[in-house]
Amino acid sequence: MEASALLFRRGCHSESCSILPVMKRTHYVADLRPQHAGQTVTLAGWVNRVRDFPGQYFVILRDRSGIVQVTVEQDNPAYSVAGELKAEYVVEVTGTVRERGEAQRTDAYPTGGIEIVPSEIRLLNRAATPAFQVDGSPINVGEDIRLKFRYLDLRRREMQDVLRLRSRVQAEITRFLDGEGFVNVETPMLTRSTPEGARDFLVPSRLSQGEFYALPQSPQLFKQLLMIAGLDRYFQFARCFRDEDLRADRQPDFTQLDMEMSFVELDDVLELNEALLRHVFQAVLNVELPSPFPRISYREAMDRYGSDKPDLRFEHALSDVTALFQGGDFKAFAEAGTVKAMVAPDLTRKQIDELERVAKQNGAKGLGWVKRTPEGFSGGIGKFVAGVADALIGATGVQEGQTLLFSAGEWRPAVEALGAVRNALRDMFDLAADGPRFHISWVTEFPQLDQDPETGTWTYMHHPFTAPHPDDVALFGTPRQGEIRAQAYDLVLNGFEVGGGSIRIHDPEVQAKMFGAIGFTEAAAREKFGFFLDALSSGTPPHGGIAWGFDRLIMLMSGASNIREVIAFPKNNRGLDLMALAPSPVDDAQLAEVGVQVRLPAE
Amino acid sequence: MEASALLFRRGCHSESCSILPVMKRTHYVADLRPQHAGQTVTLAGWVNRVRDFPGQYFVILRDRSGIVQVTVEQDNPAYSVAGELKAEYVVEVTGTVRERGEAQRTDAYPTGGIEIVPSEIRLLNRAATPAFQVDGSPINVGEDIRLKFRYLDLRRREMQDVLRLRSRVQAEITRFLDGEGFVNVETPMLTRSTPEGARDFLVPSRLSQGEFYALPQSPQLFKQLLMIAGLDRYFQFARCFRDEDLRADRQPDFTQLDMEMSFVELDDVLELNEALLRHVFQAVLNVELPSPFPRISYREAMDRYGSDKPDLRFEHALSDVTALFQGGDFKAFAEAGTVKAMVAPDLTRKQIDELERVAKQNGAKGLGWVKRTPEGFSGGIGKFVAGVADALIGATGVQEGQTLLFSAGEWRPAVEALGAVRNALRDMFDLAADGPRFHISWVTEFPQLDQDPETGTWTYMHHPFTAPHPDDVALFGTPRQGEIRAQAYDLVLNGFEVGGGSIRIHDPEVQAKMFGAIGFTEAAAREKFGFFLDALSSGTPPHGGIAWGFDRLIMLMSGASNIREVIAFPKNNRGLDLMALAPSPVDDAQLAEVGVQVRLPAE
């Protein structure tokens, strides 16, 4: 991982930065270099591997910083101990640093220029034969085995690097926000169940039997309460809980960086977050992010990239070709509200089939395609586009040998299907590889309201306290209320939403319009939000904030393949802790104390 | 609170330290001084109070930094808006800073030398009449009302200061430990219920119906697993949950600063913690703590102060006078294993009765007392001590006019009862007032094992993985195993335990001895600790750590009277959130989804 070098520099990987004697250890192993030759050092760690040659053991010693070779010849007092060593034994080694000869030197690891000649090897602990190798060789067991023996899995370099990156990012965020006067406040973990939103995890109460706490889905209400309380600037690394069915990038509990600020406008929140992210990427990864971040409206993101979280490391924009087909013979396109086209490389039939599958999974009826030939277009829907070939080339810039892909239908499903195909194309051809390592942007001007296409019912897009754009307030209650733009924003990194937030409503009149638009009577609003409405009427300042999906951010910063790789002890995708074996049955007496009993559905 | 000045300096209370325009706000109010006279400023906050004089309004504006006076005369364009303002309205004020005349100046608050002459007052929000005043006048409602309207209560200066102190301490701890190479790791919140220890909070699982997660009582096993995993140094601000009956200084969930280190010995852990605490107290409170911290053994703490968490801000040590009474006529003392005496001021009968009540609550049969007179001793058990008067004066140093208090019995109840009386005496006479603001020390050499006085059964004192003192290992399994000293330590601040930890056992042979001593067969140990024993045998380094009771530490640092005062949204002592109204009943359908139903005890 590219992060390591910098982590080491900031962390405690040199003898000089520590105030601790750390037992007898004098160095982390990765600190040693040829210039230490002749020095006596004491190291401690795990036996990564032992190579046994006639009259010689090469013990590879590992600590969290890396590895170093301990060379033990037959006349060495530690020779017999070395003979007992096996993988994952814990040892303390005292010895002299010796520069290796030309022939023995290696660049395979940072300490490859030296070796340790021990005067003593203390065996601190033995180890059972590990369930799998953690010595740097490729991992050859499934994820379930890794999770069951997570304490072994975490010994691997990649896992250690991720956890240290995560820790460094937390520390830099804390440092920055503390310096900017943000107050870190811990909000309740045992709170009230709300019928809105995702499914709650429930905790039966012993002192109030028959009643339940809920674990927080987010600190949303509490952070707004802190602004009402005049804290002015708040942040927290908040554990949040949603009892949803799990996907590859979901966990039953997750961490968000939660922030809220008072007396701010949208630009203030965005600028603060940009400065924070620039600081973090610079300090931890030595990566410079742009200033300012690009902003793209929801409408443009959807129109050009078919996604409200577009991956902008590569272009392959969607072209709008609706007009070219209107009134034409090709009914499927002529009658569609929207026809979108996207240029792709020369695709095989198998690849096109695969992409069509993606389009259909994302709501399209099919995926139109043609190939540009020297003569015009051929294959797929070639005969239907012959009449508009020049215009199509003009609109899309498609070149000879390239494939052009189409989606058609209502605007939203049409753009979303082709947007999903765009991402699949990225994965198929590694299109993002030539782009920047990180592309970060804001998506803004989300709609305030969302309408159910079937029932026509209006609901909120973010949450009912999101402030509308001031210019659009007059549209509430009119047929055009779907056009109201919210003062909401998402932070998008490499095609993933890594944050989202909004300016909140502080004006009771605007709040009343908003409740009206989504069909809440005053009584219904009170029923749902209870005490929070009282709080809002007790002197609420203008305020707004954001929450970052912290696990996902770390996944992207570290290049990990899924969210479980950046969590020390994750659940698997059935919500199980395979190591500690949770959840588990409990005694009925324990349940009786908290006033519940098990009820299983009839077989 | 004395912390404020320093918090302000480090935080964002001056115009220069912020990167944010903060809406139109140019200053926090408490930054303004006579040298700003003539400057145009924009402020934002709450109306703390309005004083209405003929032709003049004095609007006291409050933000999180403090208050400032806005003076609005009849000819001012903002005069009519000022007339509308009420307590807790939210306003933005633009105006000119004016130095006050000699007669108007006040030292009552830091901006008392100036006032703001507004050019505009923008009313940003109205407020309902608050349930109680938060304008700096003494709070005149009960705690239940404060908790119900916590968003108002948190507007008060004292509460804001506590939350900012807490945040500053967290930030400084993070900065220090990050710099020392500690890795901040988030351990699981949904984990396995264990029959040991306190009562678990349970969370029914929906995906594995009939099974339950438990909320973590502490990350103890996980932090040891991280050492086994080779993380080397770990910390976390961990939320912990114990479903115990609540006392004044307990919450169902609480925060601990959790730490663990590998390849360390006891001194390493203590020195690291001392350096951290010195850094934090210096950076946040400008208080210098000693180096090194005093250490006192468990035995000495109990013998001298009758407590394993002695308040050392004052002396009033217990004197051992057992020998003086042995073989004498006073049967109650002659036959006692231990007789302790403590000097007190001249006490009234009422005070003695009160102290005797404390002694009895703490396991004593009574509280002996005498007064020293010019002739010797009188009152109470005077006639029984007449024969040893000189020796008693020599042993205790009691002066004429002072009272001498006694406890007698088995060693532990005798010292603990008089220790409790010592604390009661402190509260009665404010004995700690003349001592240092903070007295911090380590209590060390706790017993490894605890014996039930009735059954004779041995159990662990800390937990079964605590390492014994290496010199004492041979005592396991002998009649003297009660003398084995643990490598455990408590951090004691002003008579409160604010931290505790130990070096852990990493040697399987020592672990087997320990299990043997507390009567665990191998099968029983496996039944109780399951996968953790496998982990311990997979290459465990020497390691140890500590957990700080973070809420309690902040309570002591801030001078708050109880733990609820340092938590933003605490539960009351019946486990209720009086604001959000949690816990609450939930729909039966919601319970069915997670496979439980309510079972209430028969009336």
Side-chain angles (χ1 to χ4, degrees):
Chain A
M1 168 185 288
E2 292 163 67
S4 304
L6 219 95
L7 290 178
F8 290 175
R9 233 189 302 134
R10 303 206 57 123
C12 195
H13 271 268
S14 84
E15 62 197 302
S16 56
C17 76
S18 178
I19 61 156
L20 271 197
V22 210
M23 243 173 149
K24 294 177 186 156
R25 179 165 57 180
T26 59
H27 294 73
Y28 282 97
V29 304
D31 281 342
L32 297 174
R33 289 290 179 279
Q35 57 265 34
H36 293 93
Q39 283 189 29
T40 299
V41 297
T42 298
L43 310 172
W46 285 260
V47 173
N48 199 54
R49 209 180 290 173
V50 184
R51 283 187 300 152
D52 178 1
F53 286 89
Q56 219 175 18
Y57 292 110
F58 296 109
V59 180
I60 306 299
L61 178 66
R62 184 187 72 234
D63 68 16
R64 78 169 191 188
S65 72
I67 55 173
V68 74
Q69 178 174 297
V70 181
T71 304
V72 197
E73 275 143 25
Q74 203 150 16
D75 57 354
N76 191 301
Y79 188 77
S80 67
V81 178
E84 284 180 56
L85 299 181
K86 292 182 182 159
E88 304 309 318
Y89 277 29
V90 185
V91 293
E92 184 181 274
V93 176
T94 299
T96 310
V97 180
R98 182 165 74 186
E99 191 161 2
R100 294 197 202 176
E102 279 295 341
Q104 283 76 46
R105 216 164 281 169
T106 172
D107 290 332
Y109 48 99
T111 65
I114 56 119
E115 61 195 338
I116 308 296
V117 179
S119 56
E120 186 188 3
I121 297 180
R122 273 175 71 199
L123 178 56
L124 298 177
N125 218 344
R126 292 170 209 278
T129 304
F132 50 90
Q133 295 293 338
V134 297
D135 59 0
S137 45
I139 189 89
N140 60 357
V141 292
E143 195 185 17
D144 277 4
I145 299 292
R146 291 176 53 209
L147 291 175
K148 180 171 159 65
F149 299 98
R150 191 61 159 185
Y151 48 88
L152 291 178
D153 194 40
L154 294 179
R155 285 187 189 163
R156 297 189 303 119
R157 176 87 266 130
E158 301 90 308
M159 300 305 287
Q160 297 243 331
D161 283 347
V162 169
L163 291 183
R164 298 186 65 192
L165 174 91
R166 185 178 176 120
S167 175
R168 289 286 307 123
V169 171
Q170 285 211 4
E172 290 298 339
I173 288 171
T174 301
R175 179 191 309 254
F176 182 96
L177 291 177
D178 176 55
E180 286 290 326
F182 281 74
V183 186
N184 183 353
V185 179
E186 297 172 68
T187 53
M189 299 298 287
L190 296 170
T191 182
R192 184 185 171 84
S193 182
T194 50
E196 302 279 311
R199 208 181 281 112
D200 284 318
F201 281 103
L202 297 174
V203 183
S205 164
R206 182 176 55 86
L207 296 172
S208 305
Q209 290 206 343
E211 302 194 347
F212 296 80
Y213 300 103
L215 299 178
Q217 296 191 18
S218 92
Q220 182 64 35
L221 293 188
F222 288 102
K223 71 177 176 174
Q224 293 195 240
L225 289 169
L226 289 171
M227 295 302 101
I228 296 169
L231 265 273
D232 209 75
R233 295 177 177 194
Y234 144 87
F235 82 105
Q236 182 186 197
F237 287 96
R239 293 291 273 274
C240 304
F241 300 81
R242 292 182 198 167
D243 189 10
E244 295 298 337
D245 294 318
L246 306 173
R247 296 186 319 226
D249 60 346
R250 280 237 183 115
Q251 285 279 303
D253 66 305
F254 56 96
T255 301
Q256 68 188 32
L257 169 63
D258 200 46
M259 268 185 263
E260 197 79 7
M261 302 153 68
S262 291
F263 301 109
V264 292
E265 294 173 342
L266 184 141
D267 283 344
D268 300 319
V269 180
L270 268 47
E271 282 165 26
L272 183 282
N273 274 272
E274 292 182 16
L276 172 56
L277 279 158
R278 277 194 298 272
H279 170 77
V280 168
F281 273 70
Q282 184 71 66
V284 179
L285 293 178
N286 202 19
V287 163
E288 202 163 319
L289 294 181
S291 175
F293 292 180
R295 294 190 197 180
I296 180 170
S297 71
Y298 167 81
R299 182 86 203 178
E300 188 187 350
M302 292 287 275
D303 251 345
R304 283 184 65 82
Y305 306 104
S307 172
D308 59 1
K309 41 181 189 286
D311 187 343
L312 299 177
R313 288 175 299 174
F314 67 105
E315 185 59 18
H316 282 258
L318 281 47
S319 304
D320 196 306
V321 294
T322 315
L324 299 190
F325 294 97
Q326 266 175 357
D329 297 336
F330 186 29
K331 285 273 183 280
F333 281 17
E335 290 169 4
T338 296
V339 183
K340 286 282 182 180
M342 179 178 63
V343 174
D346 187 13
L347 299 174
T348 64
R349 273 312 293 260
K350 200 171 155 227
Q351 287 169 328
I352 291 171
D353 289 349
E354 167 64 17
L355 295 173
E356 179 158 40
R357 201 182 50 74
V358 171
K360 284 178 171 171
Q361 277 175 345
N362 286 274
K365 293 203 188 70
L367 181 70
W369 66 274
V370 290
K371 297 206 176 195
R372 184 162 174 212
T373 61
E375 295 74 35
F377 291 104
S378 74
I381 58 170
K383 64 175 178 177
F384 300 111
V385 307
V388 295
D390 287 349
L392 205 50
I393 292 166
T396 63
V398 62
Q399 307 279 322
E400 263 186 53
Q402 289 183 318
T403 309
L404 202 55
L405 302 172
F406 297 88
S407 69
E410 291 293 310
W411 175 75
R412 193 159 151 180
V415 298
E416 284 184 341
L418 206 53
V421 169
R422 180 177 175 270
N423 283 345
L425 207 59
R426 169 197 62 197
D427 298 340
M428 200 174 263
F429 292 95
D430 207 7
L431 296 177
D434 296 333
R437 182 170 162 205
F438 298 107
H439 190 291
I440 198 160
S441 61
W442 294 106
V443 177
T444 59
E445 300 188 9
F446 283 86
Q448 175 84 0
L449 297 167
D450 201 18
Q451 190 172 27
D452 187 303
E454 278 159 31
T455 64
T457 316
W458 292 94
T459 182
Y460 47 85
M461 188 100 170
H462 266 66
H463 59 66
F465 305 108
T466 298
H469 194 292
D471 295 349
D472 299 350
V473 173
L475 298 178
F476 273 116
T478 75
R480 289 176 54 207
Q481 70 177 11
E483 295 169 34
I484 299 173
R485 293 163 296 170
Q487 292 195 60
Y489 30 81
D490 277 358
L491 185 65
V492 176
L493 177 60
N494 294 359
F496 287 86
E497 181 199 327
V498 292
S502 65
I503 299 295
R504 327 298 179 184
I505 300 173
H506 70 277
D507 181 335
E509 286 178 30
V510 175
Q511 189 67 62
K513 284 183 205 285
M514 177 62 187
F515 281 147
I518 57 178
F520 283 11
T521 61
E522 208 180 308
R526 178 148 290 280
E527 162 93 28
K528 280 174 202 288
F529 302 109
F531 81 99
F532 186 63
L533 295 182
D534 290 333
L536 281 174
S537 69
S538 73
T540 299
H543 65 292
I546 194 168
W548 296 5
F550 190 67
D551 304 296
R552 198 177 283 167
L553 176 69
I554 298 300
M555 180 184 88
L556 294 170
M557 288 182 79
S558 66
S561 56
N562 72 59
I563 225 95
R564 292 186 298 283
E565 300 288 298
V566 303
I567 295 172
F569 301 101
K571 303 291 186 287
N572 76 359
N573 57 15
R574 301 179 305 283
L576 307 179
D577 179 337
L578 296 176
M579 182 184 65
L581 299 181
S584 66
V586 302
D587 283 351
D588 191 60
Q590 212 178 333
L591 297 179
E593 275 197 300
V594 296
V596 299
Q597 63 192 15
V598 168
R599 146 171 67 179
L600 296 180
E603 291 297 307
Chain B
M1 169 184 292
E2 292 164 69
S4 302
L6 218 94
L7 289 178
F8 290 175
R9 233 189 302 134
R10 306 206 55 124
C12 195
H13 270 271
S14 84
E15 62 198 300
S16 57
C17 76
S18 178
I19 62 156
L20 271 195
V22 210
M23 243 172 151
K24 293 176 187 157
R25 179 165 59 179
T26 58
H27 294 72
Y28 283 97
V29 304
D31 281 342
L32 298 174
R33 290 291 179 280
Q35 56 265 38
H36 292 93
Q39 283 188 28
T40 299
V41 298
T42 299
L43 310 172
W46 286 260
V47 173
N48 198 54
R49 210 180 291 172
V50 184
R51 283 187 299 151
D52 178 1
F53 285 88
Q56 221 174 17
Y57 292 110
F58 296 109
V59 180
I60 306 298
L61 178 66
R62 183 186 75 235
D63 67 18
R64 77 169 190 189
S65 72
I67 55 172
V68 74
Q69 178 175 297
V70 181
T71 303
V72 198
E73 275 144 22
Q74 202 150 16
D75 57 355
N76 191 300
Y79 187 76
S80 68
V81 178
E84 285 180 54
L85 298 181
K86 292 183 183 159
E88 303 310 315
Y89 276 30
V90 185
V91 293
E92 183 182 274
V93 176
T94 299
T96 309
V97 179
R98 182 166 73 188
E99 191 162 1
R100 295 196 200 176
E102 279 295 341
Q104 283 77 45
R105 216 164 283 170
T106 170
D107 290 331
Y109 49 97
T111 63
I114 55 119
E115 62 195 337
I116 308 297
V117 180
S119 56
E120 187 188 1
I121 297 179
R122 273 176 70 199
L123 177 57
L124 298 177
N125 218 345
R126 292 171 207 278
T129 305
F132 50 91
Q133 294 294 338
V134 296
D135 59 1
S137 44
I139 190 85
N140 60 358
V141 294
E143 194 185 18
D144 277 4
I145 299 293
R146 289 177 52 210
L147 291 174
K148 179 171 160 67
F149 299 98
R150 191 64 160 181
Y151 47 88
L152 290 178
D153 193 40
L154 293 179
R155 285 185 189 162
R156 298 190 302 119
R157 175 87 265 132
E158 301 89 310
M159 299 306 286
Q160 298 242 333
D161 282 346
V162 169
L163 291 183
R164 296 186 68 192
L165 174 89
R166 184 177 178 121
S167 174
R168 288 285 308 121
V169 172
Q170 285 212 4
E172 290 299 339
I173 288 172
T174 301
R175 179 190 310 254
F176 182 96
L177 292 177
D178 175 55
E180 285 290 326
F182 281 74
V183 186
N184 182 353
V185 179
E186 296 172 67
T187 52
M189 300 297 288
L190 296 170
T191 183
R192 183 185 172 84
S193 181
T194 48
E196 301 280 308
R199 209 182 278 113
D200 284 318
F201 280 104
L202 298 175
V203 182
S205 164
R206 181 176 56 86
L207 296 173
S208 306
Q209 290 204 344
E211 302 194 347
F212 296 80
Y213 301 102
L215 299 178
Q217 296 191 19
S218 93
Q220 182 64 34
L221 293 189
F222 288 102
K223 71 177 174 173
Q224 294 194 241
L225 290 169
L226 290 171
M227 295 302 101
I228 295 170
L231 264 273
D232 209 77
R233 296 177 177 194
Y234 143 88
F235 82 104
Q236 180 186 196
F237 288 96
R239 294 289 274 274
C240 303
F241 300 82
R242 292 183 197 167
D243 189 9
E244 296 298 335
D245 294 319
L246 307 174
R247 299 187 316 228
D249 60 347
R250 279 238 183 115
Q251 285 278 303
D253 66 304
F254 57 95
T255 301
Q256 68 186 35
L257 170 62
D258 200 45
M259 267 186 263
E260 197 78 7
M261 302 154 69
S262 291
F263 301 110
V264 291
E265 294 173 341
L266 184 142
D267 283 345
D268 300 320
V269 180
L270 268 48
E271 283 166 23
L272 184 281
N273 275 272
E274 292 182 15
L276 172 56
L277 279 159
R278 278 194 297 272
H279 169 77
V280 167
F281 274 70
Q282 184 70 66
V284 179
L285 292 180
N286 203 18
V287 164
E288 202 162 319
L289 294 182
S291 174
F293 292 0
R295 294 189 198 180
I296 180 169
S297 71
Y298 167 81
R299 183 84 204 179
E300 188 186 350
M302 293 286 277
D303 252 345
R304 285 183 66 83
Y305 305 106
S307 170
D308 60 1
K309 40 180 192 282
D311 188 343
L312 299 176
R313 289 175 299 175
F314 67 106
E315 186 57 20
H316 280 259
L318 281 47
S319 305
D320 196 306
V321 294
T322 315
L324 299 190
F325 294 97
Q326 266 174 357
D329 297 335
F330 186 29
K331 284 273 182 284
F333 282 15
E335 290 167 5
T338 295
V339 184
K340 289 282 183 180
M342 181 178 64
V343 174
D346 186 15
L347 299 175
T348 65
R349 272 312 292 260
K350 198 168 158 229
Q351 287 168 330
I352 291 172
D353 289 348
E354 166 65 16
L355 294 173
E356 179 157 41
R357 200 181 51 75
V358 171
K360 284 180 171 172
Q361 277 175 345
N362 285 274
K365 295 205 186 70
L367 182 71
W369 65 274
V370 290
K371 297 203 177 200
R372 183 160 174 212
T373 60
E375 294 74 37
F377 290 106
S378 73
I381 58 170
K383 64 173 174 176
F384 300 110
V385 307
V388 294
D390 287 347
L392 205 50
I393 291 167
T396 63
V398 62
Q399 309 278 325
E400 263 186 56
Q402 291 183 316
T403 309
L404 201 54
L405 302 172
F406 297 88
S407 68
E410 291 294 309
W411 175 74
R412 193 160 151 179
V415 297
E416 283 184 342
L418 206 53
V421 169
R422 179 176 176 270
N423 284 344
L425 207 59
R426 169 199 61 197
D427 298 341
M428 201 175 262
F429 291 95
D430 207 6
L431 295 178
D434 296 332
R437 181 169 161 208
F438 298 107
H439 190 290
I440 197 157
S441 60
W442 294 106
V443 177
T444 59
E445 300 187 9
F446 283 87
Q448 175 83 1
L449 297 166
D450 201 18
Q451 189 171 27
D452 187 303
E454 278 160 31
T455 65
T457 314
W458 291 95
T459 183
Y460 48 85
M461 187 102 170
H462 266 67
H463 59 67
F465 305 107
T466 298
H469 195 292
D471 295 349
D472 299 350
V473 173
L475 298 178
F476 273 117
T478 74
R480 289 176 54 208
Q481 69 177 9
E483 296 169 33
I484 300 173
R485 293 163 295 169
Q487 292 195 59
Y489 29 81
D490 277 358
L491 185 66
V492 176
L493 177 60
N494 292 0
F496 286 86
E497 181 199 327
V498 293
S502 65
I503 299 296
R504 326 298 178 185
I505 299 173
H506 71 277
D507 181 335
E509 285 178 32
V510 177
Q511 188 67 63
K513 284 182 206 285
M514 177 63 186
F515 282 147
I518 57 179
F520 284 11
T521 61
E522 208 181 308
R526 178 147 292 278
E527 162 92 28
K528 280 175 202 286
F529 302 110
F531 80 99
F532 187 63
L533 295 182
D534 291 332
L536 282 174
S537 69
S538 73
T540 299
H543 65 290
I546 195 170
W548 295 5
F550 189 68
D551 304 298
R552 198 177 283 165
L553 176 70
I554 298 300
M555 180 184 89
L556 293 170
M557 288 182 78
S558 66
S561 56
N562 72 58
I563 225 93
R564 293 186 298 283
E565 300 288 298
V566 303
I567 294 173
F569 301 102
K571 305 289 185 287
N572 76 0
N573 56 14
R574 300 179 304 285
L576 306 178
D577 178 338
L578 296 176
M579 181 185 65
L581 300 180
S584 66
V586 301
D587 283 351
D588 190 60
Q590 212 178 334
L591 296 179
E593 275 197 300
V594 296
V596 298
Q597 62 193 11
V598 167
R599 145 173 68 179
L600 296 181
E603 292 299 307

